[in-house]
Amino acid sequence: MPRPKSLSDTEVLKTANRLLHAHGPEGLSFGKLARACGLSSSTLVQRFASKDGLMRATLMHAWDGLDTRTASLAARLPRSPEGAVRLLVALSRDYGDIERYADNLLILREDLRDPVVRARGKAWKGALSAVLEECFAGQPGAVPGIGLMLAAQWQGALLWWSFDPEGPVERFVEERLRAFVAALGRP
């Protein structure tokens, strides 16, 4: 089969992201990516310059997807405590089973190592927290910073689920978030 003459960066980065998730950070290389997408290694080096450049571009592409998914979900859900819970439960579905969650933690390590990618995560934290904050505007328990508090509760629930992954992650997250919202004085 002849090599494709051209493949968009988006398509290359989708393939790189699949490799990253299938083989972990150490499994993403120009050679493996070249075989997976049908471009030459030299073409990929021209596009991404180095393995670090390839990793950064792959991670930033994944953040683009998370930004889009978060905005899409937020646009469809009501700005209410119920909407906030539903948003975070929907985002939790992407975590999958315990093996996938554990593998994703290796990828998170890469996000944290690169200051540019880490800044992207910080920006997403701000955007997500702002949407969650809007969901509590005018509601009992609407203290300043409630959006970040709820996001932290969500991330904590994901982590605690991982130690005892009985049942789907989204069910555990939903139960924990509903208990948190109820503690704020909301039904």
Side-chain angles (χ1 to χ4, degrees):
M1 171 188 240
R3 291 184 185 274
K5 292 186 187 227
S6 174
L7 203 59
S8 71
D9 282 353
T10 299
E11 289 303 314
V12 171
L13 292 172
K14 283 180 184 178
T15 302
N17 194 43
R18 283 193 296 274
L19 285 173
L20 184 61
H21 282 272
H23 303 290
E26 300 307 316
L28 180 59
S29 68
F30 285 118
K32 286 182 182 175
L33 182 56
R35 285 187 295 281
C37 70
L39 295 175
S40 71
S41 293
S42 60
T43 297
L44 296 171
V45 171
Q46 287 174 349
R47 288 188 189 191
F48 302 107
S50 65
K51 183 171 180 184
D52 288 342
L54 173 60
M55 180 65 74
R56 176 180 282 169
T58 302
L59 295 171
M60 295 297 273
H61 175 75
W63 280 105
D64 289 346
L66 183 57
D67 286 342
T68 299
R69 177 138 166 75
T70 303
S72 174
L73 287 166
R76 294 191 319 258
L77 294 170
R79 292 295 196 265
S80 66
E82 173 64 21
V85 169
R86 288 173 40 203
L87 170 63
L88 295 173
V89 168
L91 289 173
S92 299
R93 289 186 184 100
D94 296 341
Y95 285 93
D97 63 11
I98 186 58
E99 292 302 318
R100 183 168 176 204
Y101 182 78
D103 289 343
N104 284 338
L105 292 177
L106 289 174
I107 297 168
L108 177 62
R109 180 186 73 171
E110 299 304 312
D111 289 321
L112 299 175
R113 286 179 163 174
D114 183 325
V116 172
V117 182
R118 191 170 56 237
R120 186 65 181 274
K122 180 180 177 182
W124 180 72
K125 175 192 81 170
L128 177 64
S129 296
V131 167
L132 296 172
E133 194 94 16
E134 288 174 17
C135 291
F136 281 86
Q139 302 287 328
V143 297
I146 189 65
L148 182 56
M149 286 182 234
L150 187 60
Q153 181 70 22
W154 170 54
Q155 287 296 297
L158 289 167
L159 184 62
W160 288 122
W161 168 83
S162 71
F163 286 108
D164 186 19
E166 295 299 318
V169 63
E170 61 268 19
R171 186 174 68 216
F172 183 83
V173 164
E174 183 173 10
E175 290 168 359
R176 300 292 22 104
L177 293 179
R178 290 195 185 288
F180 181 78
V181 170
L184 297 172
R186 296 285 312 154

